[in-house]
Amino acid sequence: MQPMLILMRHGESIWNQKNLFTGWVDVPLSEKGVQEAIKSGEKLRDLPIQAAFTSTLMRAQMTLFLALLNHSSGKVPVLLHEKGKLRSWARIYSEKTRENIIPVFASWHLNERMYGKLQGLNKEEVKRQHGETLFKKWRRSFDTAPPSGESLKMTKKRTIPYFRQRVMPFLKKNQNVLISAHGNSLRSIVMEIEQLGKEEVVALEMPLGSPLFYEYRNGLFVKKGA
């Protein structure tokens, strides 16, 4: 059986609900987002998962842990801290217990695109104030950054090295990997694994709380069902 990469955008957040630019502002899921995460878990329930990755933002982490809450393996998702006091103080001393966890790794490299001075602003108000053309460039273009923020091109420069260095080794060992992250960090990964061009990625939609499945075959990623 081929190893599987599962990409999952977080469920609806409170600021998604309010139509605000969020970026790195650390807001929780809405009630709808909680239900979306749990529903996503039904699609993952019987799929073995050897490792999971998420961003440092709570909406992505909430989605991951809720989705794995009722995994049929009975394994518990555990966030493994790689720095500071938690690295040593959160050590698991039972080998049997270690065998019954799904290791979860969190990194800022998988965080959402940082929207700079748009963060916290209402999207419709920004569109009215600056015009639809500039609004679309700030929001969806590949290489135009919002004021004091990141473009998708800049986001890709941090997500892809991390993906190659940290995620790929698990897939090469024939292990299934889940990534719970954000619309733009995941778009940059899809751009890489599907070899999309700048114009193609602009049109790419990442649905909230709905996992995408890719088989890793002979060094290539094949979207399941494609």
Side-chain angles (χ1 to χ4, degrees):
M1 187 174 179
Q2 302 295 331
M4 190 78 69
L5 171 67
I6 309 106
L7 303 179
M8 182 168 61
R9 185 183 177 190
H10 62 81
E12 182 191 72
S13 74
I14 294 290
W15 278 16
N16 288 139
Q17 189 181 68
K18 294 179 181 294
N19 201 31
L20 305 180
F21 281 101
T22 309
W24 281 43
V25 182
D26 206 2
V27 299
L29 297 180
S30 66
E31 185 175 343
K32 179 182 177 183
V34 168
Q35 295 305 316
E36 287 173 337
I38 293 172
K39 188 174 181 180
S40 292
E42 296 173 5
K43 300 177 183 178
L44 309 176
R45 178 178 169 80
D46 297 318
L47 180 66
I49 297 173
Q50 281 78 35
F53 292 83
T54 186
S55 78
T56 62
L57 301 172
M58 73 169 73
R59 57 193 186 273
Q61 295 192 14
M62 288 177 70
T63 299
L64 185 146
F65 284 100
L66 287 168
L68 295 180
L69 196 61
N70 295 308
H71 197 266
S72 63
S73 67
K75 292 185 176 182
V76 178
V78 175
L79 184 60
L80 299 184
H81 299 275
E82 299 178 273
K83 293 181 180 180
K85 185 65 73 176
L86 274 168
R87 181 178 180 179
S88 57
W89 283 27
R91 180 179 175 184
I92 300 170
Y93 288 89
S94 166
E95 183 176 348
K96 181 179 179 181
T97 300
R98 285 198 301 270
E99 291 173 352
N100 283 282
I101 71 168
I102 298 175
V104 179
F105 305 94
S107 175
W108 68 270
H109 295 86
L110 297 174
N111 281 13
E112 177 58 292
R113 179 155 70 103
M114 199 277 281
Y115 275 98
K117 293 182 179 180
L118 298 184
Q119 293 182 170
L121 300 183
N122 182 276
K123 293 175 184 176
E124 286 300 319
E125 291 177 3
V126 171
K127 186 192 296 186
R128 284 196 298 269
Q129 183 177 354
H130 296 280
E132 188 165 352
T133 299
L134 186 55
F135 172 80
K136 284 184 176 179
K137 283 186 177 181
W138 283 344
R139 190 180 181 201
R140 297 306 300 267
S141 72
F142 178 69
D143 47 17
T144 301
S148 302
E150 286 183 306
S151 64
L152 181 58
K153 181 179 180 179
M154 295 162 69
T155 305
K156 189 172 186 280
K157 286 183 178 179
R158 58 176 163 85
T159 58
I160 298 308
Y162 183 82
F163 178 79
R164 290 173 178 166
Q165 294 165 15
R166 298 301 309 277
V167 177
M168 285 300 301
F170 287 94
L171 294 167
K172 289 178 179 179
K173 292 176 185 176
N174 210 39
Q175 297 180 334
N176 296 337
V177 178
L178 169 64
I179 300 178
S180 175
H182 307 267
N184 285 292
S185 55
L186 292 175
R187 283 170 70 215
S188 69
I189 292 173
V190 172
M191 184 181 185
E192 174 79 2
I193 66 177
E194 291 193 19
Q195 300 180 348
L196 301 179
K198 293 194 299 183
E199 299 305 319
E200 292 174 298
V201 77
V202 167
L204 179 64
E205 296 288 345
M206 299 297 297
L208 288 166
S210 183
L212 301 176
F213 299 87
Y214 292 85
E215 286 186 352
Y216 183 59
R217 302 178 189 168
N218 302 317
L220 298 174
F221 290 90
V222 180
K223 194 172 183 179
K224 192 172 181 183

